[in-house]
Amino acid sequence: MGEKLTLFCPTFNRSIRIEARPERLTTDPGAVLLREIMERLGIVSWLAKRITDPRHPELVIHPTRKLLYTLILLCAQGWRDQADADLLRHDPALCLAVSTRKGTSPLSSGGSRGGSQARKPTGLPSQPTLSRLVGWLASEENRRSLREALVELASRRLRAQGRGRLRRLTLDVDSLPVEVHGAQPGSQYHGYYKARIYHPL
C-alpha cells in the first residue's frame, strides 16, 4: 500500500518523475509524455527560431517556445478552447510540460512584475496571450515558417524510418478552426462552423 513505482523520467526536465500512485494530482499527465516526444523531435525549438515574434523583448513574459508548447499540448490533450488555459492555469503536469525552465520552478509562486521574477511567471499563458499568438502566427512570414515546419517534420520522420530519398512527398493537411470570443483581428465569422474563428488555412 502506498508503494510508488517510477515509470518514466523525461529528458527535458530530469526533476520530473512519472510515477504510478493512488493519488490523482493532475488530469493531464499525458502532456509530459507529449512534451518529451516534441523535445526529442526538436520541431518546436526548430520552429521557435524561425517564427517572427512582434513583441518587445523586454516585455516578453512567456517565451515563444512556451507559447507554442502550450498551444500544441492543449489541443493534443483535447482542450481546444483557448479559455481552457485559464481553467488549467496551475495544473502541475501542464505547467511542467510547457515550461522552458528546469526543475520544479514552474510550480513555484511567481513574483511581481517589478521583481526578479518579472519574466518567470508560473502557470500557463492566458487566453488573450494565446489569441495574440494565433494572430501573429497567421502573418504571411510566419505561415511560411509553419509550412516549412511541416516539411521538416515529415522529412525527420522519414529519416528516422530509414527511408531513402523520395522523388515526391504529399502532405495532406486538414485545417483547424480556432474559435474566438470577441472581434480579434484576423478572425471572421464562418458559416459552416457557425462561429467567429481563426482559420489559417
Side-chain angles (χ1 to χ4, degrees):
M1 299 297 287
E3 182 180 342
K4 296 186 289 187
L5 176 63
T6 299
L7 304 174
F8 178 68
C9 178
T11 58
F12 73 88
N13 186 343
R14 296 207 180 269
S15 296
I16 300 173
R17 300 282 186 274
I18 307 297
E19 298 177 342
R21 300 174 65 169
E23 302 93 358
R24 184 170 183 168
L25 304 176
T26 177
T27 59
D28 291 288
V32 175
L33 300 176
L34 290 171
R35 165 66 189 273
E36 179 68 9
I37 291 168
M38 287 191 287
E39 198 71 19
R40 291 184 184 193
L41 287 172
I43 196 65
V44 173
S45 297
W46 183 93
L47 180 59
K49 293 174 187 172
R50 289 158 177 82
I51 289 291
T52 301
D53 186 341
R55 300 175 295 170
H56 192 288
E58 292 183 10
L59 301 178
V60 169
I61 295 176
H62 300 285
T64 305
R65 273 178 53 213
K66 181 177 181 179
L67 295 177
L68 292 170
Y69 282 132
T70 303
L71 197 61
I72 294 167
L73 288 174
L74 285 176
C75 285
Q77 291 292 109
W79 302 99
R80 291 185 57 186
D81 191 332
Q82 292 172 2
D84 293 326
D86 293 331
L87 174 69
L88 300 164
R89 190 171 191 93
H90 298 292
D91 181 274
L94 284 168
C95 287
L96 290 167
V98 305
S99 182
T100 55
R101 294 183 287 151
K102 303 292 184 190
T104 58
S105 59
L107 301 177
S108 62
S109 298
S112 64
R113 284 185 62 88
S116 61
Q117 295 289 320
R119 282 181 271 155
K120 295 181 181 178
T122 59
L124 303 181
S126 65
Q127 179 272 323
T129 301
L130 293 175
S131 291
R132 285 190 293 273
L133 166 68
V134 172
W136 44 267
L137 284 177
S139 72
E140 182 57 41
E141 187 176 1
N142 285 335
R143 285 201 313 264
R144 185 169 43 253
S145 296
L146 290 169
R147 286 190 294 269
E148 291 170 1
L150 286 173
V151 174
E152 177 68 18
L153 185 58
S155 66
R156 288 182 184 200
R157 180 175 180 193
L158 291 172
R159 284 196 302 268
Q161 292 175 339
R163 295 193 182 181
R165 188 175 185 141
L166 299 177
R167 295 181 64 193
R168 182 184 304 176
L169 176 66
T170 302
L171 294 177
D172 181 13
V173 181
D174 294 323
S175 62
L176 175 68
V178 180
E179 186 174 355
V180 299
H181 304 282
Q184 282 89 348
S187 66
Q188 293 184 344
Y189 181 82
H190 196 288
Y192 178 79
Y193 295 105
K194 295 183 174 38
R196 190 172 184 90
I197 61 171
Y198 288 121
H199 205 242
L201 297 179

